[in-house]
Amino acid sequence: MTWEALDRDDPLAWLRGEFHLSPGVIYLDGNSLGLLSKPAERALLEALETWKRRGIDGWLGGGHPWFHFAEELGARIAPLLGAEADEVLIAGSTSINLHQMLATLFRPEPGRDKILIEEDAFPTDAHVAKSHLKLRGLDPGRNLVVVPSAGGTAIDEAAIIAAMRDDVAFAILPTALYRSGQLLDVARLAALAREKGVTLCLDACHSAGAVAHRFHDQGVDCAVFCTYKYLNAGPGAVAGLYVHRKHHGTAPGLAGWFSSAKDRQFDMKNELDPADTAGAYQIGTPHILSMAPLLGTLELIERAGMASLRARSLKLTGLLMDLAERDLAPQGFTLATPREEHRRGGHVALRHAEAARLCKALKQQDVIPDFRPPDIVRLSPSPLYTSFAEVVGAVAILKRIAQEKTYLQFPNLRDTVA
Ligand SMILES: *Cc1c(COP(=O)(O)O)cnc(C)c1O
């Protein structure tokens, strides 16, 4: 099918009109910060209106009472993760939620006192893991098992499996690698973790809202995710956590009064009676204004259907990869993202020695990519608002920049830093 036909026959073309897009700009960075939708803007303005009109009564009144907002949003996101409604909660940040998961579910014992991560883990995952080892008097040099990655962009599940030995207590793995977009085989890893008695925590930042998951049925212990990428909830929007029901009732490692059972929180007792849901793993008062836009995105995702969005995303990234192989490979680009549909998330990573300067040149031409050192250009066509024509346009612009070497006008940072 030609891309013209893809745009013409696109059943989800209506979604584009629901976003604030800058005319002439091809935005391919929704995997770092998704754009603002009209329903998200409306939801934020409604939250402000509730504050304006009701003051303190917004906590228990209005269309979305703030006291229950974290649980309400969690229940609505749960289907995207393949989770039960009470297993998901919107709270904190990805980093803080990961701290909470470790504080709650990492229980080192003699002979089983290691945390497994992968070499190319998002930095915060490594920092969080090491800080927990230190807090428990363990040694990151000895107690952190790091699964090697191939060239910083690919992880072989077999290497993870080989590293999950009897001394590993807790594993932190991405659903999708943030550089290459490679999707890991969660079903296989979760089954192995269960068999080995390893608590598996997934960092789903790069797949939440892009790929439908089945965490509950697969027996994934817990997961954390952000909402400002594919969930378009705005810069620094409140993140999410998922905890499998089998762990509900486990006292939160990092407790606060919002960890309370909701019906007893306002007894104001100093003995904590934690919620028997994922709600136990929140800490303090929710950041309502940084959660409200998520409601708008969820409206759109629910209307479109996650399966249709994933199908559209695969068509967009498939077209992008086809064009990259045809038009960009001769210019020195190689694909770092797996071609198979079940092995790739929502973005495409292109390797090129001049990636940093190519990204600057793309931005100058109103194509918004992002750069991940040392040599990755990440392009994320959003199934919510990117057209097929835009993918074609972006590749044509990148090809011209590479051919004409216009990127040479930008300083080469490697020269200036070294
Ligand atoms: C974006 C991202 C994060 C961000 O964590 P914050 O606490 O929101 O800063 C963490 N992990 C991965 C894999 C990410 O892609």
Side-chain angles (χ1 to χ4, degrees):
M1 213 189 295
T2 63
W3 62 266
E4 289 96 337
L6 285 168
D7 269 332
R8 198 184 51 236
D9 302 337
D10 186 353
L12 294 182
W14 60 271
L15 272 167
R16 196 173 153 80
E18 295 291 323
F19 279 82
H20 292 286
L21 303 173
S22 307
V25 175
I26 303 179
Y27 190 82
L28 298 177
D29 207 2
N31 59 331
S32 273
L33 180 66
L35 292 178
L36 175 63
S37 69
K38 292 170 188 173
E41 180 179 42
R42 218 159 37 233
L44 176 56
L45 292 174
E46 276 167 20
L48 285 171
E49 196 61 25
T50 302
W51 178 24
K52 196 195 288 178
R53 303 271 164 235
R54 291 176 180 261
I56 190 80
D57 288 339
W59 284 104
L60 292 173
H64 302 277
W66 304 330
F67 188 55
H68 299 283
F69 203 32
E71 287 81 3
E72 180 193 347
L73 288 169
R76 282 183 67 176
I77 285 200
L80 307 186
L81 303 177
E84 302 291 331
D86 62 0
E87 290 178 322
V88 185
L89 185 83
I90 295 304
S93 65
T94 300
S95 304
I96 269 293
N97 292 342
L98 189 55
H99 274 299
Q100 176 68 290
M101 295 300 100
L102 279 155
T104 305
L105 296 174
F106 173 46
R107 297 189 204 94
E109 295 163 10
R112 191 187 270 280
D113 56 2
K114 294 191 174 166
I115 299 177
L116 179 147
I117 62 169
E118 47 103 14
E119 188 183 3
D120 195 36
F122 195 86
T124 216
D125 295 7
H127 302 325
V128 170
K130 288 180 197 172
S131 69
H132 277 268
L133 290 170
K134 286 187 212 156
L135 279 169
R136 315 290 180 103
L138 298 166
D139 171 11
R142 206 184 67 80
N143 295 87
L144 193 68
V145 176
V146 183
V147 180
S149 87
T153 54
I155 288 278
D156 183 353
E157 280 94 353
I160 298 174
I161 288 166
M164 240 188 235
R165 285 199 286 265
D166 291 343
D167 53 358
V168 173
F170 198 99
I172 304 168
L173 291 170
T175 47
L177 274 61
Y178 76 97
R179 280 203 175 86
S180 64
Q182 178 198 344
L183 271 186
L184 291 184
D185 184 346
V186 170
R188 185 174 168 204
L189 295 170
L192 177 87
R194 212 165 48 243
E195 186 189 312
K196 295 263 182 180
V198 174
T199 302
L200 175 62
C201 184
L202 295 174
D203 182 336
C205 281
H206 268 273
S207 64
V211 179
H213 286 296
R214 297 182 44 237
F215 289 164
H216 178 90
D217 287 348
Q218 291 166 336
V220 173
D221 292 286
C222 57
V224 296
F225 57 94
C226 59
T227 61
Y228 49 77
K229 291 171 181 163
Y230 291 102
L231 288 166
N232 304 66
V238 181
L241 58 85
Y242 149 88
V243 178
H244 195 285
R245 275 187 179 164
K246 65 187 171 193
H247 296 299
H248 291 185
T250 305
L254 303 174
W257 74 311
F258 264 81
S259 314
S260 301
K262 286 239 149 327
D263 55 341
R264 287 185 292 281
Q265 182 171 342
F266 277 90
D267 293 352
M268 304 303 275
K269 295 251 167 45
N270 282 359
E271 291 75 44
L272 176 65
D273 186 359
D276 56 3
T277 64
Y281 309 107
Q282 61 194 311
I283 302 172
T285 306
H287 308 173
I288 299 301
L289 299 182
S290 294
M291 294 160 73
L294 184 55
L295 257 187
T297 315
L298 288 170
E299 252 172 55
L300 293 177
I301 292 180
E302 287 162 6
R303 263 173 74 193
M306 192 60 225
S308 308
L309 285 169
R310 170 66 172 159
R312 186 169 194 277
S313 164
L314 285 169
K315 277 189 200 158
L316 286 162
T317 50
L319 174 67
L320 178 48
M321 294 173 104
D322 288 345
L323 295 171
E325 282 184 337
R326 191 189 72 190
D327 297 338
L328 299 177
Q331 305 301 326
F333 291 87
T334 52
L335 276 177
T337 305
R339 289 246 38 167
E340 306 96 301
E341 294 196 340
H342 68 282
R343 295 189 65 227
R344 69 175 198 262
H347 76 265
V348 171
L350 301 171
R351 283 202 123 114
H352 192 289
E354 290 287 359
R357 293 203 278 188
L358 285 163
C359 283
K360 291 210 171 97
L362 274 173
K363 275 198 163 172
Q364 194 186 44
Q365 300 290 314
D366 284 340
V367 177
I368 314 301
D370 77 19
F371 166 65
R372 284 294 173 266
D375 60 355
I376 299 275
V377 179
R378 291 194 313 185
L379 302 173
S380 180
S382 168
L384 292 167
Y385 48 75
T386 306
S387 68
F388 293 93
E390 285 182 314
V391 169
V392 174
V395 172
I397 291 168
L398 183 52
K399 179 182 174 183
R400 200 176 62 234
I401 289 169
Q403 255 173 351
E404 296 174 2
K405 299 206 183 322
T406 50
Y407 59 83
L408 292 175
Q409 67 186 287
F410 296 99
N412 188 343
L413 280 181
R414 274 173 315 189
D415 296 343
T416 52
V417 171

